[in-house]
Amino acid sequence: MPGIFAGTPLERPVTCAVCERPLDVCRCPRDAAGNVLPPERQTATVRMEKRGKGKVVTVISGLDPVANDLAALLKQLKGLVGAGGTVEAGVVEIQGDHREKIAAKLREMKFKVRGGPG
Ligand SMILES: [Zn+2]
């Protein structure tokens, strides 16, 4: 059945609905279900938590662990504030109270941010 798809969208390679590039070169962030999930459609919650011995950490939660490279984000935030940190179960933790800087950085990266200082 040659030409059955000629002139229809099925004739073309499958492209991303967002960036219109072929799916194998598309770099749009996607969640585990394969849905495009850009930063502007995600809300990060930034809060401070107390840990033992008077230590505090800044906790960033709510970011999709598949659509975002949380390890890269951790590295970036550690460099930003000059502190250590970790990623566990999709939650990023940075040692110390850096809510203001981290919230500003996340906003700069186009995430919606809930919380922050105060
Ligand atoms: Zn795309």
Side-chain angles (χ1 to χ4, degrees):
M1 298 282 279
I4 190 166
F5 295 129
T8 76
L10 292 174
E11 189 187 32
R12 299 199 300 265
V14 180
T15 55
C16 169
V18 176
C19 67
E20 298 185 342
R21 299 165 79 189
L23 284 184
D24 56 348
V25 296
C26 163
R27 291 289 173 268
C28 296
R30 289 170 188 276
D31 65 14
N35 300 308
V36 174
L37 194 61
E40 55 265 39
R41 279 172 40 199
Q42 300 179 59
T43 301
T45 299
V46 178
R47 65 181 195 277
M48 188 181 74
E49 276 186 10
K50 290 192 172 69
R51 293 293 147 86
K53 297 180 181 174
K55 284 183 184 166
V56 296
V57 294
T58 304
V59 178
I60 303 107
S61 58
L63 298 179
D64 190 283
V66 175
N68 302 288
D69 187 344
L70 293 181
L73 178 66
L74 171 70
K75 196 176 171 188
Q76 202 171 358
L77 294 179
K78 286 200 297 190
L80 176 74
V81 302
T86 179
V87 177
E88 211 172 306
V91 174
V92 180
E93 283 191 12
I94 303 289
Q95 289 163 16
D97 179 10
H98 305 287
R99 286 172 293 173
E100 194 167 347
K101 270 189 180 174
I102 287 173
K105 183 66 182 173
L106 291 170
R107 284 195 185 95
E108 188 187 306
M109 296 166 79
K110 309 282 189 230
F111 291 106
K112 291 190 196 116
V113 178
R114 190 165 44 204

